[in-house]
């Protein structure tokens, strides 16, 4: 199933669950929500090098921390561990790299009976490391900054425990070079679909 189809199905399932969920507790100023998610990363894999570059899709762990400035406004820091990817050119493996993509978003949480939907926007910073492409003959720029968009929902299971579904679109792009000459830009720009649990403190 395509990731965007899975995202739509997940959100639809959440809405159905929400109809029978317990009344959501309001998030108050000073509240902290810690979530753990399993996230599927589906990269756009576009490039201007003419090499047909792509990284593999994968499922990865994610932990995030949300701090509420008010019942509606929160900031979320999204973290994972460095992720290793195989880099291919027109379907043939040419090397590997790791990326670490912390993201910070500002969210608006809506009032709704039985569940807590939200939208968010912010900034992603990605650090590329352990780059090994064509035995060192090619390289990528190590740092990437780009916008991130987010939509999700928290469904209360108890007064402090929530089921979470979250969808993010993150722009992750880097310059590709060989022999010190820029070949073009690679755009991973992944869609990230996550499901997990959140604990409110």
């Amino acid at each position: 199933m395509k990731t965007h189809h899975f995202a739509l199905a997940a959100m639809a399932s959440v809405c159905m669950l929400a109809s029978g969920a317990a009344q959501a507790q309001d998030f108050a100023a000073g509240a902290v929500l810690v979530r753990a998610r399993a996230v599927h990363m589906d990269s756009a894999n576009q490039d201007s090098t003419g090499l047909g570059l792509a990284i593999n899709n994968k499922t990865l762990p994610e932990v995030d921390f949300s701090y509420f400035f008010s019942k509606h406004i929160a900031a979320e820091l999204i973290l994972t561990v460095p992720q290793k990817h195989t880099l291919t050119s027109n379907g043939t493996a040419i090397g590997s790299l790791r990326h670490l993509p912390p993201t910070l978003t500002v969210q608006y949480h809506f009032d709704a009976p039985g569940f807590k939907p939200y939208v968010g926007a912010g900034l992603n910073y990605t650090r590329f490391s352990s780059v090994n492409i064509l035995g060192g003959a090619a390289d990528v720029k190590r740092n990437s900054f780009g916008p991130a968009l987010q939509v999700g929902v928290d469904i209360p299971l108890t007064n402090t425990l929530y089921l979470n579904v979250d969808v993010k679109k993150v722009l992750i792009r880097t310059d590709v070079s060989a022999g010190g000459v820029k070949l073009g830009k690679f755009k991973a720009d992944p869609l990230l679909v996550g499901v997990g649990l959140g604990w409110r403190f």
Side-chain angles (χ1 to χ4, degrees):
M1 179 183 290
K2 296 290 187 181
T3 299
H4 64 278
H5 291 160
F6 174 77
L8 292 173
M11 295 301 287
S13 297
V14 164
C15 290
M16 292 176 63
L17 285 170
S19 63
Q23 179 66 36
Q25 300 295 313
D26 282 340
F27 296 128
V32 175
L33 186 63
V34 179
R35 301 186 190 89
R37 301 185 184 113
V39 176
H40 183 73
M41 176 180 177
D42 187 356
S43 296
N45 288 330
Q46 299 175 344
D47 74 286
S48 59
T49 66
L51 299 175
L53 298 176
I55 59 173
N56 58 291
N57 298 326
K58 65 187 307 181
T59 299
L60 52 96
E62 183 181 279
V63 177
D64 70 82
F65 303 87
S66 293
Y67 178 83
F68 285 80
F69 299 98
S70 71
K71 64 182 291 187
H72 295 296
I73 304 298
E76 180 182 61
L77 178 62
I78 303 158
L79 302 171
T80 186
V81 295
Q83 299 296 319
K84 184 177 181 179
H85 292 273
T86 299
L87 183 67
T88 60
S89 174
N90 295 314
T92 300
I94 61 171
S96 63
L97 52 78
R98 293 180 183 271
H99 87 289
L100 181 65
T103 302
L104 181 65
T105 62
V106 176
Q107 302 170 332
Y108 185 86
H109 291 253
F110 298 90
D111 285 324
F115 65 111
K116 303 290 289 185
Y118 59 87
V119 295
L123 180 68
N124 166 265
Y125 166 69
T126 293
R127 172 69 179 177
F128 294 99
S129 63
S130 302
V131 179
N132 181 10
I133 305 173
L134 295 174
D139 204 354
V140 298
K141 186 177 179 180
R142 293 299 193 268
N143 301 304
S144 168
F145 293 89
L149 299 175
Q150 177 184 41
V151 61
V153 63
D154 291 297
I155 300 174
L157 302 177
T158 70
N159 284 338
T160 57
L161 179 65
Y162 295 79
L163 172 66
N164 174 259
V165 174
D166 182 88
V167 180
K168 290 183 288 291
K169 180 66 176 180
V170 181
L171 268 58
I172 301 176
R173 303 176 176 187
T174 185
D175 294 333
V176 182
S177 61
V181 178
K182 181 179 175 180
L183 302 178
K185 188 177 291 291
F186 173 65
K187 302 177 182 180
D189 293 355
L191 180 68
L192 301 158
V193 179
V195 178
L197 294 174
W199 292 264
R200 180 171 57 85
F201 298 92

